[in-house]
Amino acid sequence: MFKNEKISFRLIGGENEIGSNCYYLDIHGTGIILDAGLHPEKKGLEALPNFELLENQNTDYVIISHSHIDHIGSLPYLIQRYPHLKIYTTPQSRDIAEVMLHNSLYISNKEIIDGDPLPHYTHEQLDLLTETINVVKFNEYNELIGYRHLRNEQINLKFLDSGHILGSAGILLETSSIRIFYTGDTCASKQTIMAGAEYPEKPIDAMIMETTTAASGIITKRSDEIKRFAKSINKIVDAGGSILIPVFALGKQQEILALLHNLIKKGSIPELDIYTGGLGNEISDIYDSHRYTSRRTNNKLKLKEIPQLKLDYENLLNDKYFKVPSIVLAPSGMVFDGTPSFILAQRWLKQKNFAIFFVGYLDPDSPGFKILHSKKNEVIKLTESAEEIKVMCEVDYFRFSSHSNREELINLVKITKPKILILVHGEPDGMIWIQTKVQEKLPNTKVIIPKLGEEYKISD
Ligand SMILES: [Zn+2]
Ligand SMILES: [Zn+2]
């Protein structure tokens, strides 16, 4: 068996982008994989991390930070390849994983008809896979015990609430000689439901940090953004229009629904009909079932009790289906081809007095990004094969991010004082900004922007 004395890091997927996130740690011969994501836009094998890079490495554990597809979507393929891996996540993330992975398989099964299939697995295999996921509660230490006979040293795992979505965790790994912290997707400030991240109290040796929002220098106060959101909704409603809000089914739908509910309760916006549906509603049920077992701003809030009309996917093209005015929360958040928000956006764009409001991250290659950066009366095509549309509706963006802004990320580095900082899950410009800033403020911290497959020594 391959043995070594060092501690090292390798990037297995998600180089310079937010996609098939996957990282590998070798801690004195014990192999730990952090996350196993699937790229949300790429198809077939292209969407997977480069699992070949794990060949000839020791592999013992895979630890999942949260159940967004870009962090868990390739787990079934990883387990097909390395069935002996022991899987760990939080109890909330396991419940969500079950729903997300079945949904992801349902979509990829549909795509097999179009060719370029991923290696196949079944819904039955998925049920077995989710059965084998080990859960560790937040803030509890758990000693990693794998299936291989060789145990080099004791490694403790602790999950800290990362404040991003239900179940999302920062991952703290400790041995007698080193403390390593992976932020996962992290949000330092509280959102409408989530209470904001908790971080390790003592300094750590190496930190793997996400940088989703680091490319943006625009930092807004959440309370100001909420006021602007309410004002913009009122403007559209007063003019007799409806609002489409493209949302991720996991996280964003629940946060925006709770926010709209609060605004209605306070009288900041009128009692509007809100449409929700599909996968997002299944996820809302999981949010409700864990409302007393997760950190919340308000444990009493039950999403299911907020009045909602069913977003019926069969009726997306039916003009008479939607009440006007109303607010439609439809996946996907980035308006990917073929999803409900894609179909609805094409209707909305043509209507004066209507509006499309974006509330989350938009990949520069996504149709959502194209809509956001279009001008009134401009003729656009959402995809190569889509129809040409003249932009008539209002388009706006509201910063309700579920990720820390770049100042908060720098703050986190100041608190944790890592000797080594590895930047992941972001665009190159953002990572370079963080690197420059950290080198200026914390000259003793070595900053690494990792290249795919390259080995970086963290410690001897
Ligand atoms: Zn996420
Ligand atoms: Zn992510």
Side-chain angles (χ1 to χ4, degrees):
M1 192 155 299
F2 174 66
K3 263 190 181 179
N4 69 38
E5 294 304 319
K6 65 181 182 305
I7 300 177
S8 65
F9 170 93
R10 260 174 223 262
L11 187 77
I12 306 299
E15 186 183 31
N16 280 335
E17 63 173 16
I18 299 160
S20 47
N21 305 296
C22 185
Y23 319 111
Y24 174 75
L25 285 173
D26 182 333
I27 302 181
H28 294 151
T30 298
I32 300 175
I33 296 153
L34 300 171
D35 286 341
L38 191 73
H39 198 288
E41 270 177 296
K42 291 183 183 162
K43 301 277 178 245
L45 291 170
E46 276 267 280
L48 294 179
N50 295 55
F51 289 141
E52 309 77 56
L53 294 168
L54 296 170
E55 289 297 307
N56 305 319
Q57 305 294 329
N58 292 330
T59 48
D60 297 275
Y61 309 103
V62 52
I63 308 176
I64 301 294
S65 67
H66 66 294
S67 288
H68 271 146
I69 285 301
D70 64 318
H71 295 262
I72 200 176
S74 63
L75 183 65
Y77 305 105
L78 179 68
I79 297 301
Q80 249 178 7
R81 232 181 144 114
Y82 303 103
H84 64 282
L85 283 173
K86 203 160 176 185
I87 314 165
Y88 285 96
T89 194
T90 64
Q92 296 83 357
S93 287
R94 186 179 66 178
D95 288 357
I96 300 171
E98 209 170 332
V99 176
M100 293 299 280
L101 289 175
H102 277 290
N103 185 261
S104 172
L105 175 59
Y106 173 74
I107 294 167
S108 69
N109 276 346
K110 275 204 304 194
E111 281 166 1
I112 286 174
I113 302 160
D114 305 334
D116 197 18
L118 288 166
H120 196 61
Y121 62 91
T122 63
H123 285 284
E124 287 79 4
Q125 282 170 323
L126 258 191
D127 280 339
L128 291 169
L129 173 89
T130 45
E131 274 297 304
T132 66
I133 297 178
N134 299 280
V135 296
V136 175
K137 289 182 187 161
F138 283 109
N139 298 318
E140 278 181 9
Y141 272 104
N142 190 287
E143 187 187 343
L144 294 181
I145 298 172
Y147 300 121
R148 283 199 310 153
H149 289 299
L150 176 79
R151 282 190 61 220
N152 299 289
E153 68 180 324
Q154 184 176 335
I155 301 173
N156 286 325
L157 160 71
K158 185 169 146 178
F159 288 127
L160 292 142
D161 183 0
S162 81
H164 171 63
I165 58 164
L166 177 67
S168 68
I171 298 169
L172 183 65
L173 294 165
E174 286 187 343
T175 72
S176 56
S177 62
I178 196 165
R179 282 159 57 85
I180 301 170
F181 183 60
Y182 165 44
T183 61
D185 284 2
T186 196
C187 188
S189 309
K190 68 172 190 198
Q191 304 176 59
T192 308
I193 299 174
M194 300 303 294
E198 291 188 311
Y199 294 116
E201 275 156 15
K202 285 184 283 174
I204 52 178
D205 298 292
M207 178 156 76
I208 303 157
M209 185 172 82
E210 70 119 324
T211 54
T212 313
T213 62
S216 168
I218 305 165
I219 289 165
T220 44
K221 237 171 95 187
R222 191 178 156 83
S223 54
D224 291 344
E225 205 62 353
I226 291 173
K227 273 184 212 145
R228 191 170 72 86
F229 185 54
K231 206 172 149 193
S232 304
I233 291 173
N234 284 319
K235 197 181 132 200
I236 296 299
V237 171
D238 288 347
S242 286
I243 298 151
L244 170 66
I245 306 180
V247 288
F248 292 100
L250 167 54
K252 207 52 101 176
Q253 176 174 323
Q254 293 74 31
E255 286 288 342
I256 296 298
L257 179 62
L259 174 61
L260 290 169
H261 176 64
N262 285 352
L263 290 173
I264 290 172
K265 261 197 335 196
K266 274 195 253 163
S268 308
I269 60 170
E271 245 172 78
L272 289 161
D273 287 309
I274 303 170
Y275 290 87
T276 60
L279 177 65
N281 287 16
E282 280 182 64
I283 307 275
S284 292
D285 289 346
I286 302 175
Y287 266 69
D288 284 346
S289 69
H290 280 287
R291 69 193 198 281
Y292 291 109
T293 58
S294 56
R295 289 172 64 245
R296 300 278 172 103
T297 58
N298 173 10
N299 295 79
K300 291 200 183 77
L301 175 75
K302 215 174 167 185
L303 293 164
K304 203 143 202 189
E305 285 170 1
I306 300 174
Q308 294 153 73
L309 297 174
K310 189 170 184 283
L311 176 62
D312 183 355
Y313 291 179
E314 303 298 314
N315 265 314
L316 297 177
L317 293 169
N318 177 354
D319 266 343
K320 295 191 183 71
Y321 177 68
F322 292 101
K323 294 186 185 176
V324 179
S326 63
I327 296 182
V328 182
L329 304 183
S332 58
M334 299 201 220
V335 197
F336 288 136
D337 193 359
T339 61
S341 64
F342 182 88
I343 296 165
L344 291 175
Q346 288 179 301
R347 281 182 54 184
W348 251 249
L349 282 165
K350 294 171 194 158
Q351 303 189 71
K352 219 179 134 204
N353 300 331
F354 275 47
I356 303 176
F357 290 164
F358 292 99
V359 290
Y361 176 78
L362 291 170
D363 189 281
D365 294 326
S366 64
F369 190 89
K370 207 177 263 178
I371 295 172
L372 180 62
H373 292 88
S374 67
K375 293 193 179 66
K376 262 276 174 66
N377 296 321
E378 188 186 336
V379 177
I380 60 166
K381 274 169 83 172
L382 294 189
T383 60
E384 237 5 85
S385 56
E387 60 169 323
E388 286 191 338
I389 301 171
K390 192 169 170 186
V391 179
M392 302 296 287
C393 78
E394 299 288 326
V395 177
D396 210 339
Y397 184 85
F398 298 90
R399 281 168 201 282
F400 297 131
S401 185
S402 53
H403 295 267
S404 288
N405 65 45
R406 66 191 196 178
E407 299 297 342
E408 290 168 329
L409 292 175
I410 293 294
N411 237 347
L412 175 58
V413 181
K414 283 184 191 162
I415 299 166
T416 49
K417 299 183 187 67
K419 294 186 192 89
I420 291 177
L421 176 67
I422 300 168
L423 304 179
V424 295
H425 198 285
E427 293 160 22
D429 288 356
M431 292 198 230
I432 289 165
W433 187 89
I434 297 275
Q435 185 179 42
T436 313
K437 207 76 184 171
V438 171
Q439 279 166 351
E440 191 185 302
K441 307 243 170 197
L442 295 117
N444 294 329
T445 296
K446 184 180 170 197
V447 186
I448 297 168
I449 299 174
K451 292 207 171 22
L452 192 72
E454 222 156 275
E455 184 178 51
Y456 298 91
K457 239 165 101 175
I458 293 179
S459 156
D460 293 321

